[in-house]
Amino acid sequence: MPKRVRTAVFPVAGLGTRFLPATKAMPKEMLTVVDRPLIQYAVDEAREAGIEHFVFVTGRNKGVIEDHFDRQFELETTLENRGKTAALAELRKELPSAGRTSFTRQQEPLGLGHAVWCARDIVGDNPFALLLPDMVFRANPGVLRQMMDAYEQHGGNIIGVEECDPSEVSSYGIIERGEGPDTGFPINGMVEKPKVGEAPSNLFISGRYILQPEIFSLLSEQEKGAGGEIQITDSMKVLMEQQPFTGVKYDGKVFDCGSKLGFLTANVIFALDRDDIRDGFVKELRKLDLGDHL
Ligand code: G1P
């Protein structure tokens, strides 16, 4: 049995420049899909997968994320006094237990690989999950849960992948797939943001990873790569020479909520998925008479 994955790392230091001015003073991870912030989706997905410790790599202007995962006595008292017990129970249920969150800062925006490296002392010599909170999934069971199943079988490092349009490969990390079922196949290579026509496949790394702690020493020596940033993909490529990497083409679909289109689409589909919102929402959309736009 591989060593259990108890810790998840959430890099939340990004500047959110694609969402200005909304993200000028507010972290992009607090943008909401329907009524939940992006970061909450990632934390819920991790919890469903059995994660017990939640590590946030933050940056400037991100204090509100820490507040979001803390108790709010004034709010709770008000809800209690007003008899709003369902809302109160929901708030409490979503909170990680005391002592099960850690916050560390990435002091300079040097790239995703550097952000992950900033969590090295907290994670220690343990396997960990890495979740990029911009990427929100419509999947049941959750994508990390599906990846944990593969981890229990294969151990090593696990990467979640999904198909993209061949014209979009240069926005992502792309893998080279070996023989095996979608639930777990060997990864033979990977490249960060290849040019269209030079990618080994159209399977992209969609922001969910299970990694072994040996990645940290590789990250500490990692030179800058694509976009002049320290890339996690480049260190994973080196780790691939020493340890197995398994891909999971999970059952589900990602919405890149760091982009306006992905974010808007996620809001529509997540609203339509909600029993308490669907009927009213469809009624309002019909009233808009979108014929000309669709
Ligand atoms: C990062 C990763 C990339 C991955 C992507 C998913 O890129 O480096 O491999 O495909 O996240 O969102 P970024 O979006 O930070 O440029």
Side-chain angles (χ1 to χ4, degrees):
M1 274 290 273
K3 194 168 176 185
R4 229 187 106 202
V5 182
R6 312 169 81 103
T7 306
V9 174
F10 303 86
V12 291
L15 296 174
T17 49
R18 285 190 289 175
F19 254 104
L20 285 169
T23 49
K24 192 175 163 201
M26 184 186 77
K28 65 174 170 175
E29 296 79 12
M30 292 304 290
L31 291 168
T32 53
V33 170
V34 188
D35 52 7
R36 307 167 75 70
L38 299 182
I39 187 67
Q40 184 83 54
Y41 286 92
V43 164
D44 290 349
E45 183 188 332
R47 193 189 286 119
E48 178 203 353
I51 294 297
E52 295 169 359
H53 193 125
F54 304 83
V55 181
F56 301 86
V57 181
T58 70
R60 289 169 59 227
N61 286 339
K62 303 283 180 165
V64 65
I65 296 177
E66 197 163 342
D67 293 340
H68 182 75
F69 292 106
D70 193 6
R71 290 191 65 171
Q72 263 267 23
F73 285 104
E74 203 180 320
L75 175 65
E76 289 182 24
T77 312
T78 310
L79 290 174
E80 207 160 348
N81 291 342
R82 293 189 184 160
K84 302 213 177 225
T85 42
L88 187 60
E90 189 70 11
L91 271 189
R92 286 190 176 151
K93 193 181 83 195
E94 285 170 0
L95 215 56
S97 339
R100 290 282 169 84
T101 51
S102 297
F103 296 85
T104 187
R105 280 210 183 199
Q106 184 188 26
Q107 294 157 332
E108 288 175 86
L110 296 178
L112 176 60
H114 179 260
V116 174
W117 179 75
C118 290
R120 68 198 180 283
D121 281 3
I122 303 174
V123 173
D125 193 22
N126 298 299
F128 64 101
L130 169 63
L131 297 94
L132 311 189
D134 284 3
M135 306 302 264
V136 174
F137 294 84
R138 187 166 179 248
N140 189 14
V143 167
L144 191 62
R145 177 66 264 165
Q146 296 180 40
M147 289 167 59
M148 286 289 196
D149 293 343
Y151 178 74
E152 277 151 29
Q153 204 187 328
H154 300 273
N157 303 271
I158 313 282
I159 311 281
V161 297
E162 188 172 324
E163 273 177 2
C164 67
D165 193 275
S167 65
E168 292 172 351
V169 289
S170 48
S171 302
Y172 299 109
I174 304 291
I175 63 129
E176 188 183 327
R177 177 178 181 160
E179 285 292 318
D182 285 353
T183 49
F185 51 84
I187 293 181
N188 294 334
M190 57 180 81
V191 51
E192 182 66 18
K193 307 203 169 79
K195 291 197 183 116
V196 174
E198 291 178 10
S201 74
N202 64 339
L203 289 172
F204 74 100
I205 301 172
S206 59
R208 296 295 182 270
Y209 314 71
I210 296 171
L211 296 170
Q212 296 298 320
E214 287 75 19
I215 194 81
F216 289 122
S217 58
L218 298 173
L219 281 170
S220 63
E221 292 162 12
Q222 185 60 56
E223 301 200 343
K224 290 179 180 169
E229 298 191 333
I230 297 174
Q231 297 288 355
I232 187 94
T233 310
D234 292 339
S235 290
M236 292 196 301
K237 261 166 82 170
V238 181
L239 190 56
M240 268 179 61
E241 293 164 16
Q242 304 158 20
Q243 294 182 0
F245 271 72
T246 299
V248 174
K249 188 164 170 279
Y250 49 78
D251 187 14
K253 178 173 166 44
V254 72
F255 295 88
D256 179 357
C257 291
S259 85
K260 291 179 182 103
L261 283 183
F263 174 76
L264 291 170
T265 314
N267 265 289
V268 172
I269 193 70
F270 278 70
L272 291 172
D273 279 345
R274 283 267 294 261
D275 290 340
D276 58 332
I277 296 177
R278 183 185 315 108
D279 292 351
F281 189 42
V282 168
K283 211 165 140 192
E284 292 302 322
L285 288 175
R286 288 222 168 93
K287 273 198 239 165
L288 286 175
D289 193 11
L290 290 169
D292 287 351
H293 287 287
L294 295 175

